[in-house]
């Protein structure tokens, strides 16, 4: 256990120094929040009631799909994996430590949004903070599990960047955070439901934490765990 905690702490320190993680988990999401928060609330004043959830979906999608996968590729697509094997370190340790570190960073970034949104844009705070943060934690975990698959299965950095964007952009454009999904054509609305952002957004809304919005996220998470297990087993045999 002490070795595991040391690994998590070490990964945390490495991530703090990572320019990529700083950009994807903090700088870009918070700049987007500061710019678009004012625009959204000016054009659509009613959006103050959902501004926090909308900005969080963007932040989590950015960190999970664009921030985490390159770190995994750097570890499992390089000689670092050989160091794990030669020292008897479980192959899954890197994934778990990076997953937990990214989770903490995203929670911090989201907490900043929750604290600043009411002050800067008169956004409405969640009516039930404990339920809201539980929904947020579930959404982050599911999003990171998908990001983990991307980082483990794709071996080329250029291809990873392209595919990560193909996951990230529909997540924010078709989830309902930019405009109501009712305005979308039916086929685009159905495509949007494939991505966890749509479900996570509804789960974080007031009175949105119920099984109808939760079951798909649970299904995606367990499917992602199985896929990651298969990919890690393949990494171990390579």
């Amino acid at each position: 256990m002490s070795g595991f905690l040391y690994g998590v702490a070490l990964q945390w320190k490495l991530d703090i120094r990572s320019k990529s993680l700083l950009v994807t988990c903090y700088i870009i999401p918070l700049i987007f929040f500061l710019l678009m928060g004012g625009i959204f609330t000016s054009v659509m004043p009613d959006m103050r009631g959902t501004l926090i959830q909308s900005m969080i979906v963007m932040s989590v999608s950015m960190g999970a799909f664009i921030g985490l996968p390159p770190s995994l590729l750097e570890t499992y697509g390089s000689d670092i994996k050989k160091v794990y094997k030669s020292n008897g370190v479980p192959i899954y340790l890197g994934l778990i430590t990076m997953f937990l570190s990214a989770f903490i960073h995203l929670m911090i970034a989201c907490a900043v949004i929750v604290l600043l949104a009411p002050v800067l844009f008169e956004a409405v705070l969640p009516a039930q903070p404990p339920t809201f943060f539980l929904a947020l934690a579930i959404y982050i975990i599911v999003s990171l599990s998908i990001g983990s698959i991307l980082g483990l299965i794709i071996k080329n950095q250029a291809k990873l960047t392209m595919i990560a964007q193909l996951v990230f952009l529909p997540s924010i454009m078709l989830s309902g955070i930019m405009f109501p999904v009712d305005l979308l054509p039916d086929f685009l609305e159905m495509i949007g439901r494939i991505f966890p952002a749509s479900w996570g957004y509804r789960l974080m809304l007031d009175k949105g934490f119920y099984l109808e919005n939760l079951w798909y996220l649970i299904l995606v998470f367990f499917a992602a765990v199985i896929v990651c297990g298969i990919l890690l087993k393949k990494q171990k045999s390579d």
Side-chain angles (χ1 to χ4, degrees):
M1 178 60 72
S2 60
F4 173 74
L5 294 176
Y6 174 77
V8 174
L10 178 61
Q11 187 62 48
W12 166 264
K13 293 177 182 179
L14 292 173
D15 286 343
I16 289 177
R17 299 177 183 178
S18 170
K19 293 181 180 179
S20 174
L21 187 138
L22 180 67
V23 169
T24 55
C25 285
Y26 293 103
I27 295 179
I28 293 180
L30 292 178
I31 289 177
F32 181 87
F33 161 65
L34 293 174
L35 292 177
M36 299 305 295
I39 295 174
F40 283 159
T41 52
S42 296
V43 176
M44 298 176 286
D46 292 342
M47 198 171 180
R48 289 186 175 92
T50 59
L51 181 66
I52 291 175
Q53 291 84 351
S54 297
M55 296 298 104
I56 281 176
V57 167
M58 189 276 173
S59 300
V60 173
S61 297
M62 171 71 72
F65 303 143
I66 298 180
L68 176 63
S71 298
L72 290 171
L73 175 60
E74 184 179 347
T75 296
Y76 289 98
S78 68
D79 292 336
I80 298 177
K81 181 178 65 174
K82 297 179 182 178
V83 175
Y84 279 24
K85 292 182 178 180
S86 61
N87 288 276
V89 178
I91 194 70
Y92 59 79
L93 183 64
L95 171 61
I96 293 177
T97 55
M98 282 183 268
F99 189 102
L100 291 176
S101 179
F103 176 85
I104 295 170
H105 282 294
L106 288 174
M107 285 294 289
I108 292 173
C110 293
V112 171
I113 292 174
V114 173
L115 292 173
L116 291 182
V119 177
L120 298 178
F121 308 116
E122 299 180 357
V124 178
L125 285 170
Q128 298 177 310
T131 303
F132 167 79
F133 279 103
L134 176 59
L136 171 59
I138 293 171
Y139 171 53
I140 292 176
I141 289 171
V142 174
S143 297
L144 287 175
S145 67
I146 296 176
S148 298
I149 294 176
L150 296 179
L152 290 174
I153 201 171
I154 302 172
K155 307 298 183 182
N156 180 275
Q157 181 62 57
K159 186 182 294 185
L160 176 60
T161 301
M162 179 183 67
I163 294 178
Q165 291 286 351
L166 290 176
V167 178
F168 168 71
L169 290 175
S171 293
I172 62 171
M173 296 300 296
L174 305 179
S175 61
I177 70 168
M178 307 289 285
F179 41 78
V181 292
D182 297 340
L183 300 178
L184 294 171
D186 291 341
F187 78 96
L188 287 179
E189 184 176 350
M190 292 180 62
I191 292 174
R193 289 178 176 270
I194 297 174
F195 300 91
S198 174
W199 301 84
Y201 172 68
R202 288 183 291 168
L203 191 70
M204 288 186 289
L205 294 175
D206 290 338
K207 299 180 181 179
F209 195 93
Y210 49 88
L211 186 59
E212 184 177 341
N213 293 331
L214 186 59
W215 71 269
Y216 184 78
L217 295 174
I218 295 174
L219 178 65
V220 170
F221 173 71
F222 281 107
V225 169
I226 294 172
V227 173
C228 285
I230 294 171
L231 293 173
L232 286 173
K233 188 175 181 180
K234 185 178 179 181
Q235 289 275 355
K236 187 176 180 178
S237 61
D238 288 344

